[in-house]
Amino acid sequence: MNKKLKKSISILLTVALIFSLFTSNRLMTTALAEEIPIYKNPNAPVEMRVADLLSRMTLDEKIGQMIQGEVGSGEGNVKPEDTITYAIGSVFSGGGADPATGNDMQSWYNMVTAVVDASLKSRLGIPILYGVDAVHGNNNVIGATIFPHNIGLGAIGTADLNDAIRIVKRVGEATAKEMRITNIPWNFSPCLANPQDPRWGRTYEGFGEDLNLVSKLGVAYVQGLQGETINDLKNPYKVVATVKHYVGEGYTFNGTNQGNVSSMTKEQIAAQILQPYIEAIAAGARTVMPSYSSIQGVKMHASKYLLTDILKVRLGFTGFIITDYNAISQITVDEAGNTISDLKNQIRVAINAGNDMLMQPTNWKSCITKLRTLVLDEMAVPGTGVTMQRINDAVSRILRVKFELGLFEKPITPNPAYNSNIAAEFGSSENRALAMEAVSKSMVLLKNDAINGVPILSQLKNMKNIFVAGKSADNIGNQCGGWTIQWQGSSGPITQGTTILQGIQNTITSEQKVTYSIDGTGAQGKDVAIVVIGEKPYAEGNGDNLNGLGFDATDLATLANVKAAGIPTIVVLISGRPMIVRDHIADWAGLIQAWLPGTEGKGVANVLFGEKDFVGKLPLKWSYYAEAYPLTSNNSQYVMFDKGYGLKKNQVTPILPVIANASNLKQLLNEYSKSGALKSPLLKQLTNSLSQAEHQLSLSRPDKAAKHMEDFIKHLNKKQMERCIQSGAKTILNNEANALINLWLKKKK
Ligand code: BGC
């Protein structure tokens, strides 16, 4: 190479070097200018990310975050592209809102992922938060493990709180896993109600009547779903929990769903029954759903006192409040007593009370417009709308939870279609084994009479000729109850699992034989009848005081058929709450409360025919009369089985309290007259008949006494006396009088 060439090459190289230095520098500058925003930096502290993102958002984007609509193809439902156009913060699928392509794990995953995917394309790419009610497993999806409803878990906790805490936590973990396999990261659960009146249709959603039980199991559930610390929530198989329905919903008058709590003021509620929420918030529950119910006539959703002053300020709740389904439309009066009528004002009252996100399945678009107007109103005339401060607070809370959940980093879980090991964990045998354990431990043995000197349940295992009957013996849908596949649940083979009959067939030995007849006919000659009856599925208000908590015509017919065969009978109740068994229990040698066990009916069979003994204890008091609820120290004579009651296989039924006696009835008349449930002149007539009956009894003339009680019943049912007595009191007095007549006439024989 000559010198000249060498020189020109070196010049070229130098130019190239300078050029490359220049360009790489330029690239660096560009990179600095387009640096990842703080809110997208997973290493930045959550509060910095929240503040950064909030500062980039327009008013419309902020309002969008506060809105939740329901996914679906119907008019008004949210479609994936709406998450871009309206920048909404959240969507949900209510009970029964299956994917259009079918109800299975993969279709759910695809439906959820389509919406999440779209939301990531919104201007700021804020991932949508998708919520469902997975109240006993991922219960909307066919093939999921369905765990016992909470009331059954409460029966485990009433017997052994620590064991229940362990089980409930694992149930939460398994539920979270099965939810996230379908890419759903938010659960409107657990329900922290402590039902006082089982006439309430949501009794089974609560763990029991006891505040401490509900608090401890509530914490276990929250920790199972979310993890023990806030950092655990980033684990892609954890979900955000919602504690609901805040607060006091189990105390409504007559156990009415969405009813009114008249026995306590809001201050008393805050002072006396807040424990489950105090503990759940301390355990990190990230969202709270207020109750539809009212306190002293004011809807919970309108109570700034309970939502802001107590929950957010006093308890230090830093997550967000999600309203219940269209609940704001029920606000008719604000806390100051002003009448509220239209949607705009309902939104104003609700947001100013402290609600952060509105669950409005189909009118969410008008909620966006109205909330926007309210912000502008406030700017024009302070005090007439919603302040920017309130909006910023609500949005910060929502974003905080999204960041804590790790949703910006991992908005989508792996697709089960390409991950067979993940798909296999959905409804897995491990989760079903856990459910089975919970079922077995939740069963409560109420009656266990000695047959030929030996308690019947301890003999069952060795009985040869077994007869099984009843509408719920071979019925997965009935076993699962409400909130399963459909909102209301439904009877029949609605999902995969084992019925109680199948469980029995799989558990008995080759020497034993099972004959099944749904209506109870053909029991003659068998060693024992197991009659599986109770409630058909229902949810929410549809379950209020269903059938007066008595048996339906199908069950009554089945019971009559079995009774006619004259063989020892064991009744297994599939019901979300105590039923009224007063008039039948004498016919049964055994009575078992199995609650709503879910898909694993083998858990029932394992106790009936296997080595396992009964463990569960009643998590709430069981009444002689539906009308006698709530059972307090004032009317404890109506407790048939007390809270904490439950027998073992070798324990014979203790003598049950008898309520029918004349002096009890007299006391009852006094109480009713004091409370105003019974007025003169009816009171006078009833008291007369009762005194005469007592007089005849003292002369050992039970038949004459019975005649006076017949008069008593006649007075009670006179048409012109209707206004003198409340219907609940009338039923109880009628039943008591009849019971006395039977008792006395029997004595005579
Ligand atoms: C229920 C809530 C539930 C919501 C969404 C409402 O009717 O009260 O418990 O989370 O529906 O399905």
Side-chain angles (χ1 to χ4, degrees):
M1 202 184 289
N2 64 32
K3 238 182 170 181
K4 222 175 165 188
L5 188 62
K6 255 191 192 166
K7 198 175 171 193
S8 44
I9 287 176
S10 98
I11 289 171
L12 256 176
L13 277 175
T14 318
V15 169
L17 184 70
I18 290 171
F19 182 72
S20 82
L21 271 177
F22 179 67
T23 46
S24 69
N25 203 22
R26 256 179 51 124
L27 279 178
M28 267 170 65
T29 347
T30 323
L32 275 180
E34 284 175 13
E35 201 183 338
I36 325 166
I38 295 174
Y39 83 89
K40 286 199 172 158
N41 178 355
N43 300 319
V46 165
E47 294 310 311
M48 263 174 83
R49 298 178 77 182
V50 170
D52 177 62
L53 181 49
L54 194 69
S55 73
R56 296 168 191 266
M57 292 169 81
T58 63
L59 175 60
D60 287 338
E61 283 165 337
K62 289 179 181 177
I63 288 174
Q65 283 302 306
M66 295 169 68
I67 301 294
Q68 183 190 61
E70 185 168 20
V71 170
S73 52
E75 172 88 17
N77 284 133
V78 180
K79 320 285 178 305
E81 59 279 11
D82 290 333
T83 65
I84 309 173
T85 320
Y86 298 93
I88 56 173
S90 176
V91 288
F92 77 107
S93 291
D98 313 341
T101 52
N103 187 344
D104 55 79
M105 172 190 67
Q106 190 63 47
S107 299
W108 273 90
Y109 178 90
N110 296 346
M111 173 173 79
V112 174
T113 307
V115 184
V116 179
D117 243 342
S119 71
L120 300 177
K121 300 188 183 95
S122 59
R123 187 180 75 94
L124 293 162
I126 307 176
I128 201 136
L129 189 57
Y130 204 120
V132 294
D133 299 274
V135 303
H136 61 151
N138 192 358
N139 46 228
N140 295 312
V141 189
I142 291 181
T145 311
I146 305 297
F147 295 95
H149 268 297
N150 286 352
I151 193 77
L153 302 176
I156 310 177
T158 309
D160 181 343
L161 190 54
N162 285 332
D163 196 37
I165 288 173
R166 178 187 65 80
I167 290 173
V168 168
K169 202 163 156 194
R170 287 186 59 207
V171 168
E173 286 165 2
T175 303
K177 189 77 178 263
E178 294 200 16
M179 286 177 72
R180 291 234 61 185
I181 293 175
T182 56
N183 200 20
I184 300 169
W186 184 15
N187 190 354
F188 307 137
S189 167
C191 174
L192 300 187
N194 55 319
Q196 305 299 302
D197 188 333
R199 287 176 294 176
W200 182 35
R202 304 193 80 156
T203 298
Y204 66 77
E205 295 187 54
F207 295 109
E209 68 182 33
D210 187 74
L211 276 174
N212 191 52
L213 173 80
V214 172
S215 307
K216 299 298 178 269
L217 298 190
V219 166
Y221 222 124
V222 167
Q223 291 184 334
L225 293 171
Q226 295 194 162
E228 281 180 28
T229 69
I230 209 68
N231 281 335
D232 291 345
L233 196 50
K234 284 215 168 62
N235 175 330
Y237 288 99
K238 290 289 171 202
V239 300
V240 172
T242 304
V243 285
K244 71 184 189 185
H245 306 81
Y246 180 84
V247 53
E249 56 177 342
Y251 294 79
T252 59
F253 182 67
N254 279 347
T256 305
N257 192 45
Q258 309 189 354
N260 185 34
V261 179
S262 49
S263 57
M264 276 182 277
T265 62
K266 58 183 193 296
E267 290 79 9
Q268 285 169 326
I269 290 218
Q272 294 168 21
I273 60 168
L274 217 54
Q275 189 195 346
Y277 287 91
I278 296 177
E279 296 196 19
I281 301 307
R286 295 322 275 142
T287 69
V288 174
M289 186 186 289
S291 167
Y292 278 117
S293 50
S294 309
I295 295 173
Q296 307 287 340
V298 178
K299 283 283 170 189
M300 186 65 64
H301 281 77
S303 178
K304 181 163 185 289
Y305 172 77
L306 284 161
L307 297 179
T308 299
D309 303 353
I310 299 298
L311 179 64
K312 289 181 172 174
V313 179
R314 195 191 293 172
L315 304 193
F317 173 59
T318 55
F320 70 88
I321 302 180
I322 170 74
T323 59
D324 203 345
Y325 192 101
N326 278 336
I328 57 168
S329 316
Q330 295 189 9
I331 298 176
T332 53
V333 60
D334 68 12
E335 231 172 4
N338 302 306
T339 306
I340 303 297
S341 54
D342 59 306
L343 182 62
K344 183 177 159 196
N345 279 304
Q346 286 163 334
I347 295 175
R348 177 176 58 78
V349 170
I351 299 290
N352 287 339
N355 294 286
D356 301 302
M357 184 187 276
L358 305 178
M359 181 190 286
Q360 294 296 113
T362 51
N363 71 353
W364 53 274
K365 278 187 201 163
S366 32
C367 291
I368 291 180
T369 322
K370 295 196 158 54
L371 186 48
R372 185 172 217 287
T373 314
L374 284 164
V375 173
L376 301 180
D377 285 357
E378 179 71 24
M379 287 173 181
V381 186
T384 59
V386 173
T387 63
M388 265 323 285
Q389 197 189 0
R390 179 72 266 275
I391 299 282
N392 286 336
D393 172 54
V395 178
S396 301
R397 289 169 176 272
I398 294 162
L399 296 177
R400 176 177 301 133
V401 173
K402 290 186 176 185
F403 284 121
E404 287 169 343
L405 182 62
L407 214 54
F408 284 75
E409 287 68 60
K410 288 192 181 134
I412 296 172
T413 49
N415 190 337
Y418 311 116
N419 294 276
S420 53
N421 54 332
I422 290 176
E425 291 194 56
F426 193 83
S428 66
S429 47
E430 192 188 337
N431 290 349
R432 287 177 190 274
L434 170 64
M436 212 184 298
E437 179 188 355
V439 172
S440 294
K441 289 181 170 169
S442 71
M443 293 164 66
V444 184
L445 178 56
L446 300 168
K447 193 170 196 245
N448 189 20
D449 289 354
I451 301 289
N452 303 324
V454 185
I456 180 109
L457 266 305
S458 67
Q459 303 182 44
L460 194 54
K461 195 175 177 315
N462 299 316
M463 287 181 155
K464 296 269 171 329
N465 232 332
I466 296 138
F467 182 77
V468 175
K471 66 168 189 251
S472 300
D474 193 24
N475 197 310
I476 289 276
N478 286 0
Q479 265 168 236
C480 289
W483 294 108
T484 319
I485 313 304
Q486 300 297 322
W487 172 44
Q488 293 293 317
S490 58
S491 298
I494 58 168
T495 188
Q496 292 133 30
T498 307
T499 67
I500 294 170
L501 176 68
Q502 289 164 341
I504 293 175
Q505 282 159 340
N506 297 341
T507 311
I508 53 167
T509 63
S510 54
E511 272 109 71
Q512 289 173 303
K513 189 174 163 245
V514 170
T515 311
Y516 168 60
S517 147
I518 188 164
D519 66 359
T521 49
Q524 287 77 4
K526 306 291 185 296
D527 296 340
V528 64
I530 296 175
V531 184
V532 190
I533 52 175
E535 296 186 317
K536 280 192 177 169
Y538 57 82
E540 302 192 39
N542 291 342
D544 276 9
N545 202 23
L546 212 65
N547 241 328
L549 308 189
F551 294 101
D552 62 19
T554 313
D555 287 349
L556 291 174
T558 309
L559 286 171
N561 289 337
V562 173
K563 188 177 173 181
I567 61 171
T569 298
I570 297 170
V571 166
V572 177
L573 285 186
I574 297 295
S575 68
R577 51 191 160 181
M579 295 185 73
I580 302 305
V581 295
R582 180 193 62 233
D583 298 337
H584 309 281
I585 193 165
D587 299 338
W588 310 331
L591 172 61
I592 293 155
Q593 174 56 275
W595 314 106
L596 299 170
T599 46
E600 305 317 306
K602 174 89 163 79
V604 174
N606 285 346
V607 179
L608 293 180
F609 289 96
E611 293 304 323
K612 289 188 193 310
D613 203 346
F614 288 87
V615 172
K617 306 271 183 209
L618 285 182
L620 71 187
K621 295 189 269 303
W622 191 301
S623 184
Y624 274 96
Y625 299 114
E627 296 77 8
Y629 286 119
L631 295 170
T632 63
S633 49
N634 296 330
N635 58 355
S636 55
Q637 75 267 34
Y638 296 119
V639 176
M640 185 171 220
F641 302 112
D642 213 345
K643 189 182 71 175
Y645 176 90
L647 305 171
K648 296 276 172 197
K649 279 184 182 174
N650 61 9
Q651 224 179 330
V652 180
T653 325
I655 293 168
L656 297 174
V658 175
I659 51 163
N661 71 53
S663 71
N664 265 352
L665 191 51
K666 205 167 176 180
Q667 195 191 328
L668 200 61
L669 292 182
N670 278 335
E671 272 170 28
Y672 284 153
S673 85
K674 259 194 268 156
S675 72
L678 175 58
K679 298 191 191 99
S680 314
L682 179 57
L683 174 66
K684 205 164 162 217
Q685 296 177 341
L686 296 180
T687 315
N688 271 344
S689 298
L690 182 58
S691 311
Q692 291 182 23
E694 277 185 300
H695 177 65
Q696 293 300 333
L697 271 184
S698 69
L699 302 174
S700 303
R701 293 180 190 146
D703 47 345
K704 292 219 162 121
K707 279 250 149 43
H708 289 294
M709 287 320 290
E710 276 161 16
D711 291 344
F712 181 102
I713 293 175
K714 271 187 210 142
H715 295 314
L716 195 60
N717 293 300
K718 261 188 235 146
K719 191 108 189 89
Q720 65 268 38
M721 289 297 165
E722 255 167 18
R723 64 192 163 76
C724 296
I725 186 153
Q726 281 174 10
S727 67
K730 186 171 166 175
T731 313
I732 292 183
L733 291 176
N734 245 323
N735 285 327
E736 290 275 302
N738 272 315
L740 283 180
I741 293 172
N742 287 338
L743 204 75
W744 295 341
L745 293 183
K746 233 190 239 164
K747 263 195 199 145
K748 200 188 151 225
K749 278 183 225 158

